[in-house]
Amino acid sequence: MKSCLELPEGYEALFAIDLQKDKKLALLVNSLALVIALALIVLGGALMLRHSEIIIELTLVKTLALLAGLVVYILLHELVHGIFMRLYSGQRPKYGFTGLYAYAGSQAYFAKKPYIVIALAPIVVWGVVLAALCVLLPRDWFWVVWLIQVINLSGAAGDLYVTVRFSHLPRNILVQDTGVSMTVFGRGLEKNG
């Protein structure tokens, strides 16, 4: 089973994840994002030092390209989540913006492995595309693309968090991700928070 549109008999909610309501978890995920971002910025500097230079020349054109690239990236990130949600459920996902973040959501219940694919798909897809652009574009554009890559990986801290957390759960769990929160359902399992 990849997904279902109705909760199977015997399944019940085990716990929910809602970063807007759980401030402690939001702090943890945002701290993880900061650590990832700092590590990637250091890595970017190390990559540029291999070429005996660190070009950090953000002209007006490059700054505007970076800002536009970040907006487009955020939309494309959620689009990839939605494409995989639709692939596994056959249902059109819902897209939105909470004021804090953009999201893709679905009323479907996803099995563990497909949900982990849904969570990681944008990181992988855009990670590969952005890495290729870092190599193919002139070096003076490296930081523009690399900073979008930093956002790709650090901005997906929530996706990484749920992947790690769910990977430790039994394989028969189901996940409903409405975009603003997700609920994990199980059968014959103990509830936890």
Side-chain angles (χ1 to χ4, degrees):
M1 171 178 58
K2 293 179 183 177
S3 76
C4 53
L5 301 178
E6 292 186 29
L7 192 61
E9 189 174 323
Y11 274 79
E12 59 182 302
L14 301 175
F15 62 91
I17 296 175
D18 186 337
L19 295 180
Q20 288 186 320
K21 292 181 180 174
D22 188 340
K23 301 304 180 198
K24 187 176 176 181
L25 181 57
L27 180 61
L28 172 72
V29 169
N30 287 322
S31 297
L32 175 62
L34 182 61
V35 168
I36 293 169
L38 292 173
L40 289 171
I41 290 169
V42 169
L43 177 61
L47 291 171
M48 290 305 289
L49 280 176
R50 279 188 67 212
H51 298 288
S52 301
E53 58 192 55
I54 296 181
I55 300 173
I56 306 178
E57 180 188 331
L58 287 179
T59 62
L60 178 60
V61 170
K62 289 178 185 168
T63 302
L64 292 174
L66 174 62
L67 293 174
L70 289 172
V71 170
V72 169
Y73 163 76
I74 290 167
L75 297 174
L76 291 174
H77 176 101
E78 296 308 325
L79 180 64
V80 170
H81 279 312
I83 288 169
F84 278 83
M85 285 177 170
R86 185 169 188 148
L87 177 71
Y88 287 120
S89 71
Q91 300 294 308
R92 179 176 290 175
K94 293 185 180 182
Y95 298 95
F97 185 73
T98 66
L100 295 173
Y101 58 90
Y103 66 85
S106 174
Q107 293 299 315
Y109 300 91
F110 297 97
K112 177 180 168 177
K113 284 184 182 179
Y115 188 76
I116 289 174
V117 171
I118 291 166
L120 295 178
I123 302 167
V124 174
V125 168
W126 299 118
V128 170
V129 169
L130 292 166
L133 288 174
C134 281
V135 171
L136 297 173
L137 290 175
R139 273 191 290 196
D140 63 324
W141 281 87
F142 172 83
W143 282 106
V144 172
V145 177
W146 188 254
L147 289 174
I148 296 170
Q149 180 75 289
V150 168
I151 296 302
N152 176 46
L153 297 172
S154 66
D159 296 326
L160 295 169
Y161 168 79
V162 298
T163 297
V164 170
R165 184 159 181 196
F166 295 175
S167 68
H168 298 291
L169 295 176
R171 67 180 178 180
N172 69 340
I173 64 163
L174 295 173
V175 180
Q176 185 181 52
D177 183 347
T178 62
V180 294
S181 67
M182 62 185 63
T183 305
V184 175
F185 297 86
R187 180 175 47 211
L189 302 171
E190 289 185 29
K191 292 183 183 184
N192 62 7

